[in-house]
Amino acid sequence: MAADRVRQIAVIAAAAAAVVGAVVGSGLLGGTSIARAAGGALSADATLVAPAGPAFAVWSVIYAGLVLYAIWQALPSQASRARQRVAGYWMAASLLLNAAWILVVQAGLLVLSVVVIAALLVVLVVTFARLIARPGGTTADAVLFDGVAGLYLGWVMVATVANVAAGLTAAGFDGFGWSAHAWGLAVVAVVALLGCALALWDGGRLAPAASSAWGLAWIGVARLDGALPSAPVAAAAFAAAALIVLVAVAARVAHRSRPSRRTRR
């Protein structure tokens, strides 16, 4: 159908825009890197919940997966599949929001970047929910759809919290009298709660748990080995990362041990 072909082209175009945005955000084309953009508000030492620089290597894996997904979904065999139809435009929207976020940060519009990344998180949650509601059943689905979307969602969840903290700090938020360490602990606790809730909801899918735990672990590293140290926040971040993985594994085991509907009949 023509509508399917339009959707496939839209995803390809959005993926290309996201890759261009990533190159711009890296500073390879002469622009300011994300870590130095917006006055360094998103650098590893800007807030107590900012991940260390190496954490962002996960984007290489995510972008590679997104490019492969875009190519795969454009195959004739994928055009009319229900999964592609219900999630394709949502994935395209996430790719465009990704590129938009980079451009907004490059422009120094930190408050707007919070709005954009929050919208990106909502879009990814909807995408993931649609994929969960329609299991794929193939290796390509597991890797290029569920796996890539899961990694994307798990990382953006951590990035959203870090972005909000950066925006509040840059705006001069005084923390209502709480210390920065107390706020750091509270934020890490929120991320842990969200990560565990996601693991329970999605039946213990490992991709989102792994990427959110990765982000938390690098928050811990930054607080031990950066210019803005905090032993309590570091310990909490490492513990939260471990907890999310443990909950995901437990949820996965529990989900797989449940008898199927066919077995119960």
Side-chain angles (χ1 to χ4, degrees):
M1 292 178 60
D4 291 321
R5 177 53 61 184
V6 170
R7 186 196 66 249
Q8 290 176 309
I9 293 172
V11 172
I12 287 285
V19 170
V20 171
V23 174
V24 171
S26 70
L28 291 177
L29 297 181
T32 306
S33 67
I34 295 299
R36 299 203 316 253
L42 296 170
S43 67
D45 295 315
T47 71
L48 288 179
V49 291
F56 296 92
V58 71
W59 273 119
S60 298
V61 179
I62 294 172
Y63 278 120
L66 288 169
V67 169
L68 290 174
Y69 152 73
I71 295 170
W72 170 66
Q73 65 83 39
L75 297 176
S77 62
Q78 298 299 313
S80 61
R81 288 190 65 210
R83 279 194 120 205
Q84 302 290 1
R85 285 175 171 172
V86 300
Y89 278 117
W90 287 95
M91 287 292 282
S94 78
L95 289 161
L96 293 176
L97 284 168
N98 192 330
W101 181 85
I102 292 172
L103 294 177
V104 165
V105 172
Q106 289 269 325
L109 302 174
L110 197 58
V111 173
L112 183 56
S113 76
V114 173
V115 176
V116 174
I117 201 169
L120 173 58
L121 180 60
V122 170
V123 166
L124 288 174
V125 169
V126 172
T127 304
F128 207 56
R130 286 177 167 243
L131 292 176
I132 291 173
R134 295 166 179 80
T138 69
T139 300
D141 277 291
V143 175
L144 297 178
F145 231 159
D146 303 275
V148 171
L151 286 174
Y152 199 4
L153 172 58
W155 172 256
V156 169
M157 185 171 65
V158 176
T160 300
V161 173
N163 199 162
V164 170
L168 289 173
T169 299
F173 177 60
D174 63 3
F176 300 119
W178 288 21
S179 71
H181 300 281
W183 273 107
L185 290 172
V187 170
V188 168
V190 169
V191 177
L193 180 62
L194 292 174
C196 290
L198 177 61
L200 293 172
W201 171 58
D202 66 19
R205 304 204 178 202
L206 298 180
S211 59
S212 57
W214 170 268
L216 282 165
W218 281 105
I219 289 174
V221 171
R223 301 292 69 79
L224 288 179
D225 193 32
L228 196 62
S230 175
V233 173
F238 289 132
L243 178 63
I244 289 174
V245 173
L246 288 173
V247 170
V249 171
R252 187 178 185 85
V253 170
H255 181 75
R256 292 197 167 188
S257 65
R258 293 175 191 164
S260 65
R261 292 181 181 178
R262 184 174 298 177
T263 303
R264 291 198 298 263
R265 287 177 180 173

